[in-house]
Amino acid sequence: MSLPVVVAIAMFAGVVVYAVLGGADFGSGFWDLTAGNAQRGGRIRVLIDHSIGPVWEANHVWLIYVLVFWWTAFPRAFAAVMTTLFIPFALALLGIVLRGASFAFRKYAATLSQARLFGAIFALSSVITPFFLGTVAGAIGSGRIPRAGHGRVISSWLNPTSVVGGLIAVGTCSFLAGVFLSHDARSSGDFALAESLRRRTLVMGLITGLIVLAGLIPLRSDAHTLSRGLQGRAAPLVVVSAVAGLLTLWLLYRRATGAARFSAVIAVAAVVIGWGVAQYPWLLVDQLSITDAAGAHATLQALLVVVVMAALIVVPALSYLLWLTQQQAWHSPVSGPRPGPDRLQT
Amino acid sequence: MIVNGPISSGSYAIAGAGNPPGLLPAREQMALSLGWHIILACFGVAFPTMIYVVHRRGIRRNDPIALGLARRWSKVSAVLFAIGAVSGTILSFEMGLLWPGLMGRFGDVLGLPFALEGISFFVEAIFLGIYLYGWDRMPPRRHLAMLLPMGFAGIFGTFCVLSVNAWMNAPTGFRIAADGTVTDVNPWRAMFNDAVWLQFAHMWVGAFMLVGFVIAAVYAVGMLKGRRDEHHRMGFTVPFVFATVAALLQPLVGHILGLQTGDRQPAKLAAMELSLNTEPKAPLNVGGFLVDGHLRWALSIPRLGSIIARNSFTRSVPGLNDVPADQRPPANLVHWSFQSMVGIGTALALLVALFWLARWRKQDLLQRRLFLRLAVIAGPLAVIALEAGWVTTEVGRQPWVVWHILRTADAASPSPWLWLSYAVAFVVYVGMTIGAVVVLRSMARRWRAGEEDLATPYGPGAGPADDSAPSDSTSGYPAAGDDTATSTLR
């Protein structure tokens, strides 16, 4: 395996992790948006705050990781994408900014009306951001980024593949978040909330599955290379994703929310990895291969050093944080330290 | 004193005819984003260290006041870090959206420090999450230790980001072939370029100055309003000590950096000093403007220019006339921002010196309203000084984005959407500023009203966990005199 491909895999690993962790994060905005008024939606909003509070900032560093790797390892492809997809990137960025700021502000808001305003911004921007990031994926996957950049301003990201990409992104994020929130509600002892979330997540899962299936149809004519890859090399991953998705629905149906989290993550990760495998060896489909797009050899080697450092420093720290959030003490509505056994609900 | 020079008018403007239409909005948006983000970045770098000091004191001495400060500061830092993270995200997008000509060509030369900075960003975000949620949920000592990785990540992150900026001033680690392609890339050489150490030192010290003076100013306001308790005293003193060390160190660091600038970027130094002709025994021009190629209204002190800028009685200060007309930075802006920075820095150094001198003479200036007023003004002044410093180095580098290698005009995006994007960015930043101010002020108000746990308005049920933490002795933190709790939790 050549050095550019190794670095591309390291970068794409960031995309996959972001899709899962950031995706669950974005998706919680969907549930926040549809939670109803302050009275009815209060409990679910508190749950969302609680669930994503400690991790949301770390989750979004993955996006920065991807961007930085992209421009350092594949600078020409980065410039080509940024000059072509100015609008969806700017809109996704706007969403990220509004979302992050309003999430933080809402938490400390003094009055209900302030909290409502910040909350509405948070929820709306949580939904539009994955959509635009999905259109970006669609634009790359359907070969609409010229290798020299400066592609079409609008139609490069407003086309069948991009719209499918955007809808799949919103759907999978919401589904993923729904599964996680159902489980969190259950383990914090709020069974009524867990039950209603579980039911709605089941519906969301069915809708997302339908979008994915229906989306394959326009893909065949609109994104030849990607579609061929999905039916060929990436077919096993598509199958894994479908099976894991169905398994998640079944587990949810059986109220096994703990196990459903794992199969849901597998379903989402498999579909994202499938996209990457399907468009290999292209970085920009039909335009620029990974090898052609690669920057200087010495820089790629240096990036491998960064990957090793990240594996040694970030992975243990992040695991520690994620482990802590699963501890009972972190779920109790604190009134002092909770001794007693740590109950891990899986 | 008026110095004449044959410089035609308009030659200092860089956004002139022939430049792409996207250049001006791209530069404005970048300046706004960087200028906004740098304030929050300072808090990311310096605040954890200050929180560490009060938190450690609280644990070591069972000091409930220090612990209370640490608790409140950590909540403030949560808000600041959150919006700092999003404005940092904005910047990483903008690198590509606004400057594809820079990133496409030099991404693999300058990118490595950014990738490393990503690691430090990760570490900060992870340990911030742990620290915020660790209140009352972790053994105190381990909880305190969570601040250490944040502090180190701040240092490392500052180094990485400054490394990229220093590279733009002192580009190295690559070669340009005859056909214009970039070859022989050595990213480590580019990262550890000649300018990085001093620029890093200048910024790192600057971050402590800014945060120290700003937080001290907040408590000085409280004391002016008659809240003269131990809480306010400690809230003032701890950051003020940091600000003191930084403010006394900074003139030295800045001076050495200035000396380097003269060797490396004579045009920048010429603009900073508003020097027209390269001359030995150059005067120091205080204030003044360059109008139609003439220096007007400046207070020129003979020979001092060479002494300060070149550390020599005789070495010449470079003059703008030796710089080709199309390579001159906008001199007035560079000069004024430079001198504002130096002037404010000097004033702040005098202020802290005065305070400790008086203290040594057994006088407590905190009892003097005049000093408190000065301490309040010092907060915004420190911010202005830092911004002015960045304006100096960034505008002083123009018209180059990479010194003598790539012009800013050639790096800017040709997108027709840049003015709109700038307008939206402007509105967003205004909104975020208002949001941050409203939220921080309301937090302060509620704290004063005795509401320690700032409950969320989303009822029913408990608020988000970190807000409902009690501040009494039922928590993992002992009240004063309660030793058993610490020992059992260790």
Side-chain angles (χ1 to χ4, degrees), chain A residues 166-185:
Chain A
L167 290 177
I168 290 179
V170 174
T172 49
C173 288
S174 313
F175 179 55
L176 205 52
V179 174
F180 273 80
L181 288 172
S182 306
H183 180 71
D184 282 354

Side-chain angles (χ1 to χ4, degrees), chain B residues 22 29 46 75 94 104 116 123 178 191 207 215 240 258 273 323 337 341 356-357 365 371 389 404 437 443 449 452:
Chain B
Q29 186 174 339
K75 286 186 181 178
E94 283 175 345
L116 289 165
V123 170
M191 180 170 171
I215 299 183
F240 195 75
E273 300 289 341
V323 181
S337 45
M341 173 190 75
W356 295 106
L357 209 65
L365 287 186
F371 176 80
H404 284 185
V437 170
M443 285 164 74
E452 201 54 51

Side-chain angles (χ1 to χ4, degrees), chain B residues 143-230:
Chain B
H143 183 213
L144 174 68
M146 296 300 124
L147 285 165
L148 292 175
M150 290 169 70
F152 288 118
I155 299 173
F156 185 65
T158 311
F159 181 86
C160 290
V161 171
L162 265 293
S163 152
V164 178
N165 187 265
W167 176 83
M168 288 155 74
N169 286 316
T172 178
F174 65 96
R175 222 163 43 80
I176 303 238
D179 63 346
T181 52
V182 179
T183 61
D184 292 351
V185 175
N186 180 348
W188 299 104
R189 178 79 192 94
M191 180 170 171
F192 293 97
N193 58 72
D194 299 338
V196 64
W197 292 104
L198 275 175
Q199 278 207 9
F200 157 68
H202 197 45
M203 178 62 213
W204 191 51
V205 174
F208 277 89
M209 250 178 103
L210 183 143
V211 178
F213 279 117
V214 167
I215 299 183
V218 171
Y219 289 90
V221 170
M223 283 191 265
L224 274 174
K225 289 185 177 166
R227 298 178 203 120
R228 293 178 172 278
D229 46 18
E230 187 50 33

Side-chain angles (χ1 to χ4, degrees), chain A residues 46 49 53 57 64 68 71-72 75 78 89 94 97 104-108 115 150 153 295-296 298-299 320 329-330 334 336-337, chain B residues 81-82 90 92-93 96 103 107-108 111 114-115 121-122 133 137-138 142 185 414 417 428 436 446 457-458 462 464 466-467 474:
Chain A
V46 169
D49 254 3
E57 217 166 320
I64 295 183
V68 165
W71 80 50
T72 308
F78 181 71
F89 267 122
L94 183 67
V97 170
F105 292 157
R106 174 172 83 171
K107 191 161 197 147
Y108 294 97
H150 307 286
V153 176
T299 306
Y320 182 49
W330 286 52
V334 190
Chain B
F81 284 25
I90 298 181
S92 50
F93 271 89
M103 301 316 287
D108 53 349
F114 277 129
F121 192 8
F122 257 127
Y133 276 68
R137 292 187 183 84
M138 276 173 119
R142 198 197 305 164
V185 175
W417 302 89
V428 166
R446 283 179 282 165
Y458 287 111
D466 73 324
D467 282 348
T474 57

